[in-house]
């Protein structure tokens, strides 16, 4: 490792100087600001040492360092009659001094800086870090804080349902089963599940129908199309099975990956999707109504009518979904009322699952969707209800709770050593995630952001909780101890606000992001880092660097790839 051991807390502006930045900065101390402006380092990153040193008005130094010795040397010549007097002689030699000072500026400085940064980009590419903007090479080496997403960056993003729970004989008496198997292979089972009763069957329906992912078998392996969380639920449905579907053998992997899900899709055709939103923290599908048969011209066949009735299948964050549930579906298929006390017990059960750590999703059904029961497309009279996403929460009400699924997203094995390297180098790591607080804290302990028994008082917050504090208190909590932190249940806007506070406090923050909503935070960070695999094009365009493998360790490796600072260069 090229990192230098740091044994004491570093001041806010401290950083690891990379790519010989100190040497270049010293070379630039004789440069005029106009020369610095011609270099490839814009004012947007003036918080980093190299551009700050270059633009630190070095011309006065040159004008004073050279004229003073000149004045002493030629003092006796000022009164030479050839100059026409003392003051004219002074002006004459002053012009010579200024000329000598300007001549001292190295004309090749911009080219040297550009070449050094370009060599840095080549090193980073070998570490799967693609630099989009040349100044980012120097900025990354001076990073003091790395703000990182959890899913896919600190973890593998290979989701697997490892536990499922549903109400047994009473509303708050959840029965939990362990689910075997890994990745997206449908081989595995739900342990101790003797039969698929009506209540458990409803849980399987929601997992399958409130879902847009597809599992397929190609080139000898099972792969997903869609979100990894939804893909994990589709795999769970295949493991649960269905009494009306024959289970394919391992010799039929093409059928085994979707047999049960295809059965549910045929039995409950999807007529509408209520997309996920961060406000209500849930998504749902309207499924069940079979539209009347139509001719090739699009007209309904005479005498034919639709069949079945739509139901709303909902999945989302347990605290959000349960808040809108008024009943529960027992294992026997009976429906029982849900009291506030029972709701709290279910949430306590969910908190224990989340602390393992598991990413938990609650499943629910709304069976009476009123005039949407026969909805079959945009021409339906009730279509207006589905055109305003802000009103989707009004449709996802009076729900029947059917169960919880616990999804495991293993931490990347190389992340823990990378975080240890960051601590050695004096770089803080701030994990920002939309998961629940117990899940986030458990993952943080697993990968080394928090120690196994370390106190995390004042270091773990939900987004809502943190931004309820006054601004002065927010700055104090982010900067007072210079320790790694965790923020859970955050919104994209929270990322931007955190970056703003860090920059105002004198930090040099790097921010990772993959979604369209992450673009403002990526732009505001000293260096925005987009995900090359899961990232959207908008996020990549807003970023300074792209991770080809979506891996947190790549960020640390990119910093490590640069040469260490000169031993004689003290940290500020």
């Amino acid at each position: 490792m090229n990192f230098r051991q740091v044994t004491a807390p570093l001041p806010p502006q401290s950083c690891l100087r990379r790519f010989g930045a100190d040497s270049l900065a010293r070379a630039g101390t004789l440069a005029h600001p106009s020369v610095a402006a011609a270099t490839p380092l814009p004012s947007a990153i003036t918080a980093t040492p190299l551009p700050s040193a270059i633009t630190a008005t070095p011309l006065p130094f040159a004008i004073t360092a050279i004229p003073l010795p000149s004045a002493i040397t030629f003092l006796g010549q000022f009164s030479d009659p050839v100059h026409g007097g003392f003051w004219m002689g002074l002006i004459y030699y002053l012009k010579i001094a200024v000329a000598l000072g300007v001549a001292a500026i190295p004309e090749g400085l911009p080219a040297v800086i550009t070449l050094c940064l370009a060599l840095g980009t080549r090193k980073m590419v070998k570490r799967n870090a693609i630099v989009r903007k040349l100044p980012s090479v120097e900025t990354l080496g001076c990073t003091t804080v790395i703000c990182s997403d959890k899913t896919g960056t600190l973890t593998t993003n290979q989701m697997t349902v490892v536990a499922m729970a549903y109400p047994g004989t009473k509303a708050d008496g959840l029965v939990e089963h362990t689910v075997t198997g890994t990745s997206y292979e449908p081989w595995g089972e739900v342990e101790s599940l003797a039969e698929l009763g009506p209540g458990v069957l409803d849980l399987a329906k929601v997992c399958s129908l409130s879902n847009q992912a597809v599992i397929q078998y190609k080139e000898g392996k099972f792969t997903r199309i869609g979100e990894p969380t939804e893909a994990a639920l589709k795999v769970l449905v295949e493991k649960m099975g269905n009494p009306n579907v024959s289970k394919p053998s391992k010799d039929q992997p093409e059928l085994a990956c979707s047999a049960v899900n295809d059965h549910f899709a045929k039995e409950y055709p999807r007529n509408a999707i209520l997309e996920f939103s961060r406000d209500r923290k849930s998504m749902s599908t309207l499924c069940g109504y079979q539209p009347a048969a139509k001719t090739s011209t699009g007209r309904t066949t005479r005498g034919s009518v639709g069949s079945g009735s739509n139901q709303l299948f909902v999945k989302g964050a347990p605290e959000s979904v349960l808040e809108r549930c008024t009943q529960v579906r027992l294992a026997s298929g009976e429906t029982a009322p849900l009291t506030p006390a029972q709701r709290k017990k279910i949430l306590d059960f969910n908190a224990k699952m989340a602390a393992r750590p598991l990413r938990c999703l609650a499943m629910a059904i709304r069976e009476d969707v009123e005039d949407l029961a026969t909805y079959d497309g945009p021409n339906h009279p009730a279509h207006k209800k589905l055109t305003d996403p802000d009103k989707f929460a009004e449709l996802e009400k009076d729900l029947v709770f059917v169960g919880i699924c616990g999804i495991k997203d293993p931490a990347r094995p190389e992340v823990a050593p990378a975080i240890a390297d960051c601590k050695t180098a004096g770089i803080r790591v701030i994990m920002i995630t939309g998961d629940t607080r117990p899940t986030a804290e458990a993952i943080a302990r697993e990968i080394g952001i928090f120690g196994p028994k370390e106190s995390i008082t004042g270091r773990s917050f939900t987004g809502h909780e943190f931004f309820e504090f006054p601004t002065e208190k927010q700055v104090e909590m982010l900067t007072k101890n210079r320790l790694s932190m965790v923020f859970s249940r955050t919104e994209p806007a929270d990322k931007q606000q955190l970056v703003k506070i860090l920059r105002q406090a004198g930090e040099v923050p790097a921010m990772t992001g993959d979604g369209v909503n992450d673009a403002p935070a990526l732009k505001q960070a000293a260096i925005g880092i987009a995900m090359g695999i899961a990232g959207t094009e908008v996020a990549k365009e807003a970023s300074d660097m792209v991770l080809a493998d979506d891996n947190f360790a790549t960020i640390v490796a990119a910093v490590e790839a640069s040469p260490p600072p000169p031993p004689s260069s003290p940290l500020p």
Side-chain angles (χ1 to χ4, degrees), residues 59 65 114-115 123 128 141 163 173 213 239 305 367 385 393 416-417 529 560:
L59 187 56
T114 303
L115 178 60
K123 287 185 177 182
N128 290 322
K239 294 176 181 178
V305 294
E367 296 174 316
K385 289 187 174 183
I529 304 173
E560 178 192 355

Side-chain angles (χ1 to χ4, degrees), residues 297-370:
T297 60
R299 295 187 177 185
T300 303
T301 305
R302 180 176 296 180
S304 65
V305 294
S307 60
S309 179
N310 281 323
Q311 298 180 56
L312 199 62
F313 298 91
V314 184
K315 75 170 186 298
E319 63 272 20
S320 297
V321 173
L322 279 164
E323 185 180 351
R324 287 170 265 155
C325 290
T326 56
Q327 297 175 302
V328 299
R329 181 65 38 82
L330 304 180
S332 63
E334 298 178 40
T335 301
L338 178 63
T339 65
Q342 291 170 330
R343 183 182 291 108
K344 185 179 183 303
K345 281 190 176 182
I346 296 174
L347 288 172
D348 291 342
F349 185 94
N350 170 75
K352 292 179 181 178
M353 290 182 68
R356 284 190 232 172
L358 298 179
R359 186 176 194 175
C360 298
L361 291 175
M363 311 294 164
I365 300 175
R366 182 183 178 185
E367 296 174 316
D368 182 11
V369 292
E370 300 171 350

Side-chain angles (χ1 to χ4, degrees), residues 193-235:
L193 184 63
E195 61 177 349
L196 206 67
V200 183
L201 188 63
D202 280 342
L203 175 59
K205 288 178 184 176
V206 180
C207 291
S208 178
L209 298 172
S210 183
N211 201 315
Q212 299 182 70
V214 175
I215 304 295
Q216 58 184 3
Y217 184 79
K218 281 188 175 182
E219 299 178 355
K221 62 180 181 180
F222 294 94
T223 59
R224 64 173 172 87
I225 299 176
E227 293 294 325
T229 303
E230 294 190 334
L233 295 176
K234 283 285 182 87
V235 174

Side-chain angles (χ1 to χ4, degrees), residues 318-545:
E319 63 272 20
S320 297
V321 173
L322 279 164
E323 185 180 351
R324 287 170 265 155
C325 290
T326 56
Q327 297 175 302
V328 299
R329 181 65 38 82
L330 304 180
S332 63
E334 298 178 40
T335 301
L338 178 63
T339 65
Q342 291 170 330
R343 183 182 291 108
K344 185 179 183 303
K345 281 190 176 182
I346 296 174
L347 288 172
D348 291 342
F349 185 94
N350 170 75
K352 292 179 181 178
M353 290 182 68
R356 284 190 232 172
L358 298 179
R359 186 176 194 175
C360 298
L361 291 175
M363 311 294 164
I365 300 175
R366 182 183 178 185
E367 296 174 316
D368 182 11
V369 292
E370 300 171 350
D371 52 352
L372 288 172
T374 58
Y375 179 83
D376 59 355
N379 295 326
H380 192 275
H383 178 67
K384 288 185 178 180
K385 289 187 174 183
L386 302 176
T387 58
D388 187 358
D390 293 335
K391 296 184 179 180
F392 284 172
E394 297 177 9
L395 299 177
E396 295 174 350
K397 64 179 182 180
D398 299 329
L399 302 177
V400 179
F401 172 72
V402 297
I404 296 176
C405 292
I407 302 171
K408 180 74 173 180
D409 184 14
R412 290 180 181 268
E414 63 272 21
V415 164
I419 289 178
D421 291 339
C422 286
K423 289 183 177 180
T424 301
I427 300 175
R428 289 197 293 157
V429 177
I430 297 179
M431 184 173 81
I432 304 173
T433 177
D435 282 346
T436 61
R437 187 170 180 170
T439 302
E441 291 174 353
I443 286 287
R445 292 191 186 277
E446 183 178 341
I447 62 179
I449 292 179
F450 298 149
K453 302 295 182 181
E454 184 180 8
S455 172
I456 57 175
T457 303
R459 296 173 59 191
S460 177
F461 302 92
T462 63
H464 177 75
E465 177 186 8
F466 182 78
F467 290 107
E468 284 290 306
F469 291 110
T471 303
E472 296 78 10
K473 182 68 173 177
Q474 295 173 18
V475 175
E476 179 186 351
M477 290 187 294
L478 273 177
T479 59
K480 68 176 180 180
N481 53 24
R482 296 198 53 77
L483 296 174
S484 297
M485 302 178 71
V486 169
F487 291 90
S488 52
R489 282 291 184 238
T490 57
E491 306 289 342
D494 296 340
K495 288 186 177 183
Q496 185 179 7
Q497 189 63 23
L498 286 171
V499 168
K500 182 178 179 181
I501 294 173
L502 288 169
R503 297 208 71 172
Q504 289 176 344
E507 302 279 3
V508 182
M511 171 66 75
T512 67
D514 55 8
V516 174
N517 292 336
D518 292 331
L522 294 176
K523 276 288 188 183
Q524 187 155 12
I527 176 167
I529 304 173
M531 303 296 107
I533 299 174
T536 61
E537 291 303 316
V538 174
K540 293 175 186 177
E541 284 296 321
S543 69
D544 303 293
M545 188 175 82

